[in-house]
């Protein structure tokens, strides 16, 4: 069904809309047993709340603060795109008997500019990146339909063989948990992380956390990819399909460059989501999941959205 990424076949970021959603999940279900590494990326209309912590001190914010900030944003935001790239453990992508290798870009219709809060700057930025919000609204996928197809495909809850890969993945998993539960994220981080583990298993890896913890690299996806010698092969920055592909390729290159990195436990990085685990601030000690003990439910965040 697939051949190596080093072949002459080009990579196609396949657009998924409401009218081909079922067909695409049929292909995913067919491929997942062989191509069980799944890289994810989400695009959304910026953040509606910003931290009041000074930027120079933000890297020292506790995981509980980062979680609450993510929760407040995900609870109000509507997703625009979700990128998904499947591969085997060597980075080979499926081709489904065609002349292309494939990554996928799911386009959602949930956002309604007339009713939903949004960040003006983010709308302008995403439109410059080629995202057509009008087309999304008219032809996009309803997130509830996407969640139903995820459940039917068997890739969550019961499939322990899948390895999930993100880069700075708190919002990616936040949106997915929001999709699957159809409710606001839990008030405490421990419950959220429990939901992630229950839904996606223990083979969850955040490439940003891994690279910081193991190699001391602390920068964005594009910069980290270049440091690993990985170039974007198709699409644009901040388009979810292309970013999920770059995340996958960077993860595989990094994994292969670490001769002593055990794929079965990734040196203890499994389940560690950047910003939501103790140890991410400097990576100077063994990471431990932060358990929320504060009784405060509403830390001070700045609202930056329009309605």
């Amino acid at each position: 069904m697939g051949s190596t990424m080093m072949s002459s076949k080009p990579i196609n970021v396949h657009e998924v809309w409401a009218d081909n959603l079922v067909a695409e999940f049929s292909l995913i279900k067919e491929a997942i047993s062989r191509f069980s590494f799944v890289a994810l990326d989400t695009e959304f209309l910026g953040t509606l709340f910003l931290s009041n912590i000074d930027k120079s001190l933000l890297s020292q914010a506790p995981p509980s603060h980062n979680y609450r900030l993510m929760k407040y944003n995900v609870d109000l935001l509507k997703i625009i795109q979700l990128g998904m790239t499947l591969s085997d453990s060597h980075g080979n992508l499926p081709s489904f008997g065609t002349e292309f290798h494939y990554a996928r870009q799911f386009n959602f219709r949930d956002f309604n500019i007339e009713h939903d809060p949004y960040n003006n700057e983010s709308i302008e930025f995403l439109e410059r990146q080629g995202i057509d919000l009008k087309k999304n609204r008219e032809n996009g996928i309803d997130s509830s339909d996407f969640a139903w197809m995820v459940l039917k495909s068997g890739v969550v809850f019961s499939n322990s063989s899948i390895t999930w890969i993100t880069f700075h993945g708190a919002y990616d998993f936040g949106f997915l948990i929001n999709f699957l539960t159809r409710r606001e994220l839990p008030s405490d981080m421990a419950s959220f992380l429990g939901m992630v583990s229950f839904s996606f298993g223990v083979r969850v890896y955040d490439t940003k956390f891994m690279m910081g913890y193991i190699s001391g690299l602390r920068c964005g996806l594009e910069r980290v990819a270049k440091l690993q010698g990985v170039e974007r092969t198709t699409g644009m920055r901040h388009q979810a399909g292309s970013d999920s592909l770059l995340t996958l390729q960077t993860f595989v290159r990094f994994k292969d460059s670490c001769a002593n990195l055990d794929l079965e436990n990734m040196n203890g990085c499994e389940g560690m989501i950047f910003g939501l685990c103790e140890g991410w601030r400097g990576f100077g000690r063994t990471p431990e999941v932060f358990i929320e003990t504060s009784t405060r439910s509403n830390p001070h965040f700045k609202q930056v959205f329009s309605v």
Side-chain angles (χ1 to χ4, degrees):
M1 183 159 48
S3 58
T4 69
M5 291 169 61
M6 300 302 293
S7 77
S8 59
K9 290 185 177 183
I11 300 175
N12 177 277
V13 177
H14 193 57
E15 300 282 355
V16 185
W17 304 90
D19 62 0
N20 63 337
L21 177 65
V22 173
E24 290 303 314
F25 264 99
S26 295
L27 292 174
I28 290 171
K29 189 174 182 179
E30 173 191 345
I32 198 66
S33 62
R34 181 177 174 188
F35 300 94
S36 59
F37 279 53
V38 182
L40 302 171
D41 181 76
T42 53
E43 293 296 332
F44 46 92
L45 292 169
T47 49
L48 306 179
F49 295 92
L50 299 176
S51 174
N52 271 330
I53 294 178
D54 187 273
K55 286 185 177 181
S56 64
L57 301 175
L58 194 56
S59 64
Q60 299 299 311
S64 57
H65 178 91
N66 298 329
Y67 173 72
R68 288 194 295 265
L69 181 59
M70 182 272 286
K71 167 187 160 52
Y72 293 161
N73 279 301
V74 168
D75 286 348
L76 280 180
L77 285 163
K78 300 294 175 63
I79 192 172
I80 302 298
Q81 289 180 337
L82 183 142
M84 180 185 293
T85 301
L86 276 59
S87 82
D88 64 15
S89 62
H90 302 291
N92 302 316
L93 275 62
S95 60
F96 305 103
T98 73
E99 68 271 27
F100 295 101
H101 294 297
Y102 287 98
R104 286 177 174 79
Q105 185 163 277
F106 296 86
N107 300 280
F108 293 90
R109 70 177 309 273
D110 297 44
F111 175 69
N112 185 335
I113 198 169
E114 295 182 0
H115 303 293
D116 295 320
Y118 58 89
N119 184 318
N120 277 310
E121 291 182 1
S122 295
I123 283 187
E124 295 168 2
F125 175 77
L126 291 178
E127 288 178 337
R128 288 197 302 270
Q129 297 305 108
I131 295 176
D132 186 339
L133 294 175
K134 184 174 184 292
K135 184 176 181 180
N136 273 52
R137 185 63 183 164
E138 293 174 350
N139 302 323
I141 304 159
D142 190 292
S143 61
S144 61
D145 294 333
F146 177 85
W148 175 239
M149 295 307 301
V150 169
L151 292 170
K152 284 183 63 179
S153 70
V155 300
V156 294
F157 297 123
S158 60
N159 199 329
S160 60
S161 65
I162 296 178
T163 298
W164 299 92
I165 304 160
T166 65
F167 189 94
H168 205 165
Y171 279 82
D172 301 329
F173 286 112
F175 278 112
L176 285 166
I177 293 297
N178 176 269
F179 282 0
L180 295 172
T181 63
R182 309 309 298 172
R183 63 184 64 180
E184 293 184 349
L185 297 182
S187 58
D188 65 290
M189 190 177 72
S191 296
F192 170 75
L193 293 175
M195 286 182 172
V196 172
S197 178
F198 178 73
S199 302
F200 299 96
V202 297
R203 299 172 67 89
V204 170
Y205 299 102
D206 189 321
T207 311
K208 187 175 179 74
F209 178 87
M210 284 179 57
M211 290 188 169
Y213 182 62
I214 296 172
S215 297
L217 296 176
R218 307 179 204 171
C219 41
L221 174 59
E222 203 84 16
R223 176 64 175 158
V224 166
K226 288 183 178 180
L227 289 172
Q228 292 293 308
V230 178
E231 297 292 335
R232 189 181 296 272
T233 55
T234 186
M236 300 174 63
R237 294 178 61 189
H238 298 292
Q239 287 205 355
S242 179
D243 279 356
S244 72
L245 173 62
L246 189 63
T247 296
L248 182 281
Q249 293 171 324
T250 303
F251 174 87
V252 171
R253 179 67 60 84
F254 180 69
K255 173 178 67 68
D256 291 346
S257 71
C258 298
N260 63 341
L261 194 60
D262 181 357
L263 182 62
E264 291 304 313
N265 60 37
M266 293 292 187
N267 285 9
C269 290
E270 68 281 356
M272 296 297 164
I273 301 174
F274 184 85
L276 300 188
C277 50
E278 199 65 76
W280 74 280
R281 297 167 288 169
F283 304 98
R285 56 189 181 277
T286 301
E288 298 176 354
V289 172
F290 181 90
I291 304 300
E292 172 61 55
T293 58
S294 172
T295 58
R296 294 181 303 164
S297 60
N298 292 298
H300 297 294
F301 298 120
K302 294 177 286 189
Q303 298 182 7
V304 292
F305 60 89
S306 305
V307 291

